[in-house]
Amino acid sequence: MDTFAIGDQDFLLNNEPFRILSGAIHYFRVHPDLWADRIHKARLMGLNTIETYVPWNEHSPVPGAFVTDDGLDLGRFLDLVAESGMHAIVRPGPYICAEWDNGGLPAWLFTDPTVGVRSSETGYLAAGSSYMESVLDVVVPRQISRGGPVIMFQIENEYGAYGNDKAYLQHLVDLSKRLGVDVPLFTCDQPFGAMIEDGSLPDLHKTGTFGSRADERLAFLRERQPTGPLMCAEFWNGWFDNWGTHHHTTDAAASAAELDALLTAGASVNIYMFHGGTNFGFTNGANDKGIYEPTITSYDYDAPLSEDGHPTAKYFAFRDVIAKHFPVPAEVPPGRMPVPTSSLAVSHSVSLLDVPVATHLVSGSVPPVELTGHYRGFYLYEASLPGGGVLSFSEVRDRAQFFLDGVPVGVLSRELGERSVVIPAGGRLQVLLEDQGRVNYGQRIGEAKGLIGPALLNGVEVVDWEVGAVDLDSLEAFRSAAVPLPPGDAAAGVAGPSVSFATFEADGPGDRFLRLDGWTKGVVFMNGFNLGRHWSRGPQRTLYVPGPLIREGTNEFAILELHGSATREVRFAVGPDLGSDEK
Ligand code: GLA
């Protein structure tokens, strides 16, 4: 049987020095029919390993569940890695950061205020242990020691940037070993200050996360760990975008020079990301270091393999660098082929406020949305106000649209720090609330979402609220209630908040890029699959539609528009447009 170990200076594969040339692909950000293609293209760039996180909240949407269907079939993903002749590194968290909703921690866990976050608090450990058991059922039999591809297993993620609860780390180590992990365990941390020490334990192999100044970072790591192989566990060769910022890119030649420095120094590397993929649905995370900044739908990351799986200039620059140090396969992946372009007009629509939402009645202060038993997306709050005036909250998480008797009267945005709105005198207040993505880094992980009370009208608390989750898992309620739009050309537009539908014919599966010029803000669905959020503020202008979602014959496109659209048309564009990279 094969072995993998940590030697004095090197990783050892079957007792021979081995350099890990890894690339990150998150299976949960890629359509499962495309996994094999992306893995193959990693191998063609000269990589020998695929790294992935495991998102707890995705696998466990409700307590006790561990879903492994379709796009969450981690076992199948690892098997495909093995079939391509590559190794695998698994990073199951339980916390993963990753610009992923809540850093991968399930929101249901924190509805009990006694539960700790990333610590040795008993409730957190119990839930985390049960999750780890499920992950390890999949991973343990796929370790290299048992004939599988997995060569390394990460404990937590950049824990030194968050805490220093050694009992927590020790618990994860003991649990992993008890459940059968026998490949090397490691931690990753930013090579600054005390993070390498705080985030690890003496017996764990320590690696660094960084994107530049490789020699300096490796020297820092070496000082803290005198023996063992050097590894950059996240070589940030690109970056993610937040709504309202420019599109982040890094120069291919400069990134390639950093990779060259790492390889010349004898280090192992995991390219973060090799292929970023997409934050489909409501899976994006957010940052908040004083200002809330939700991450966009595309997770292209300016990675070597683009969001739609094609080699970029960076891919070829990296391949050339790797070829200087190691053999690289001769085969080169093809570039992007022309995609079908056309435009289509929505024909049917229904006001979101006209479709009933199952609500919970709360006799008391305004509750957070978790009360509904749903943890992502949109919610509807309702209350009767005794009159008009200033309505305020202690916080809005994250964006609230106010309607009085169905008429829009204002928006409050957490990004802008807003928390009070002037409401005219009237009657029934409805608030359409968007959870724009849970914070994935820092101390705000695990926080509740919704209207955070007390809700005060002219300083007097408003009580007796109804709150319900808007069900977008199935569009059936909207589809059956949608009626033909009033006559008018494309410029007649569509009033929001509404869900509108269009159908179109296709010859069969194939990638598309949806361009939504004229639409303001919302969510887009292809044949019922939630492609993610759209917003006119950018940077991204197109949404990636993975080819397998399109079928031969009639296809259904649906769009939730929150505000209003200047057009009834959407376009399939020639390629991706992720926005300007100028600040
Ligand atoms: C850190 C985290 C990753 C990711 C990157 C930024 O390194 O460990 O999960 O958030 O930052 O993309």
Side-chain angles (χ1 to χ4, degrees), residues 470-530:
V470 178
D471 181 6
L472 294 166
D473 290 342
S474 156
L475 296 177
E476 191 39 43
F478 298 97
R479 192 179 292 117
S480 55
V483 294
L485 281 162
D489 61 12
V494 176
S498 59
V499 180
S500 303
F501 293 87
T503 52
F504 65 97
E505 301 297 313
D507 294 340
D511 285 357
R512 308 251 175 153
F513 302 91
L514 257 177
R515 190 157 186 119
L516 297 156
D517 296 344
W519 296 80
T520 304
K521 185 178 195 318
V523 185
V524 177
F525 303 84
M526 187 60 72
N527 291 321
F529 181 91
N530 187 336

Side-chain angles (χ1 to χ4, degrees), residues 53 96-99 157-158 209 234 236 239-240 272 299 301:
Y53 280 127
I96 62 169
C97 194
E99 290 68 71
N157 187 73
E158 286 194 338
T209 55
E234 286 181 23
W236 303 322
W239 204 245
F240 56 92
Y272 190 98
Y299 200 65
Y301 214 85

Side-chain angles (χ1 to χ4, degrees), residues 320-574:
D320 288 348
V321 165
I322 295 170
K324 274 173 60 181
H325 300 267
F326 301 95
V328 164
E331 186 185 338
V332 172
R336 186 177 293 127
M337 303 290 280
V339 297
T341 57
S342 58
S343 63
L344 51 123
V346 294
S347 57
H348 288 63
S349 192
V350 59
S351 164
L352 188 130
L353 300 178
D354 286 347
V355 173
V357 165
T359 54
H360 302 251
L361 191 60
V362 178
S363 55
S365 301
V366 67
V369 297
E370 288 77 13
L371 171 99
T372 62
H374 292 257
Y375 305 98
R376 281 179 180 165
F378 291 83
Y379 301 84
L380 199 64
Y381 283 85
E382 293 197 32
S384 289
L385 299 183
V390 179
L391 181 64
S392 69
F393 305 89
S394 60
E395 249 188 88
V396 171
R397 299 183 192 149
D398 303 300
R399 194 166 184 276
Q401 292 175 244
F402 294 81
F403 301 87
L404 200 64
D405 294 330
V407 177
V409 291
V411 178
L412 292 181
S413 161
R414 172 177 178 182
E415 285 177 89
L416 302 175
E418 296 166 331
R419 60 192 192 96
S420 64
V421 58
V422 176
I423 305 286
R428 191 80 182 147
L429 177 77
Q430 287 175 301
V431 187
L432 180 58
L433 188 290
E434 180 182 1
D435 161 3
Q436 291 181 271
R438 292 174 190 269
V439 172
N440 58 266
Y441 186 83
Q443 301 303 320
R444 278 181 172 261
I445 299 162
E447 70 184 359
K449 289 285 191 178
L451 298 173
I452 307 301
L456 301 176
L457 181 68
N458 304 319
V460 178
E461 184 163 16
V462 179
V463 290
D464 297 339
W465 289 82
E466 283 181 54
V467 57
V470 178
D471 181 6
L472 294 166
D473 290 342
S474 156
L475 296 177
E476 191 39 43
F478 298 97
R479 192 179 292 117
S480 55
V483 294
L485 281 162
D489 61 12
V494 176
S498 59
V499 180
S500 303
F501 293 87
T503 52
F504 65 97
E505 301 297 313
D507 294 340
D511 285 357
R512 308 251 175 153
F513 302 91
L514 257 177
R515 190 157 186 119
L516 297 156
D517 296 344
W519 296 80
T520 304
K521 185 178 195 318
V523 185
V524 177
F525 303 84
M526 187 60 72
N527 291 321
F529 181 91
N530 187 336
L531 290 171
R533 302 175 215 255
H534 153 73
W535 201 350
S536 57
R537 73 189 290 205
Q540 81 178 103
R541 298 285 161 215
T542 53
L543 287 176
Y544 173 51
V545 186
L549 293 178
I550 306 278
R551 53 189 179 223
E552 188 183 344
T554 306
N555 292 263
E556 180 199 69
F557 164 81
I559 182 164
L560 162 62
E561 167 58 59
L562 292 171
H563 297 286
S565 147
T567 175
R568 290 180 179 175
E569 281 184 352
V570 297
R571 281 198 293 133
F572 289 122
V574 290

